[in-house]
């Protein structure tokens, strides 16, 4: 499904994943975290995750599984509590304690053996956090 939605798109994969018309429900934090875990640059053209026939590449298969993992971990942790977010009962989420790259600009990349600094750029008006070494 993911590859089919991204096939032929030249827009950066980060912007495509945030486009609710293509794939609903993915937010900025979870896309940054998933792309880092998958080792994919947020600047990579979205269409490169699909074969010429529109099928999934190995990277697309890996990313789809990682997106599921990130979302499952976030739900289990109660989401992310940043600034003013809280559940209806007032409790806070704790997923922000496991962020690898989101809001960690200048900190070392958490990938073992990397140590490169996490970078920040703005895409489609949103902050994108990534490792320029690990994410290609």
């Amino acid at each position: 499904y993911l590859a089919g939605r991204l096939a032929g798109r030249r827009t950066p994969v980060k912007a495509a994943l945030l486009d609710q018309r293509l794939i609903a429900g993915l937010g900025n934090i979870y896309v940054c975290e998933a792309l880092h875990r998958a080792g994919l640059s947020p600047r990579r053209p979205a269409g490169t995750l699909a074969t010429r026939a529109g099928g999934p590449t190995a990277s697309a298969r890996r990313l789809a599984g990682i997106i599921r993992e990130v979302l499952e971990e976030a739900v289990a942790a109660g989401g992310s509590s940043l600034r003013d977010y809280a559940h209806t009962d007032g409790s806070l989420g704790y997923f922000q304690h496991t962020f690898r790259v989101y809001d960690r600009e200048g900190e070392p990349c958490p990938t073992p053996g990397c140590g490169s600094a996490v970078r920040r750029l703005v895409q489609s008006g949103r902050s994108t956090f990534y490792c320029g070494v690990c994410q290609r």
Side-chain angles (χ1 to χ4, degrees):
Y1 179 83
L2 180 65
R5 300 302 292 164
L6 301 179
R9 300 199 179 269
R10 294 180 187 211
T11 186
V13 66
K14 165 84 183 303
L17 291 173
L18 289 176
D19 186 340
Q20 300 298 298
R21 295 168 297 177
L22 297 177
I23 302 164
L26 296 179
N28 192 40
I29 292 171
Y30 306 117
V31 170
C32 285
E33 292 296 309
L35 288 173
H36 180 262
R37 291 182 188 192
L40 297 173
S41 171
R43 296 178 181 185
R44 180 182 182 147
T48 64
L49 295 175
T51 65
R52 287 190 180 143
T57 63
S59 294
R61 284 189 184 99
R62 186 173 67 250
L63 178 59
I66 289 170
I67 288 170
R68 283 185 197 100
E69 290 172 9
V70 167
L71 293 175
E72 287 171 358
E73 289 175 24
V75 168
S80 304
S81 293
L82 302 176
R83 290 182 287 277
D84 61 353
Y85 175 80
H87 293 277
T88 56
D89 66 1
S91 65
L92 302 176
Y94 294 97
F95 188 66
Q96 70 276 8
H97 299 297
T98 64
F99 290 169
R100 294 183 185 190
V101 291
Y102 187 82
D103 205 23
R104 301 213 184 272
E105 180 182 14
E107 293 181 25
C109 173
T111 302
C114 178
S116 178
V118 171
R119 299 177 187 175
R120 177 185 172 269
L121 68 97
V122 177
Q123 292 180 295
S124 304
R126 306 296 302 268
S127 289
T128 298
F129 299 91
Y130 70 104
C131 175
V133 173
C134 294
Q135 292 177 251
R136 298 282 174 197

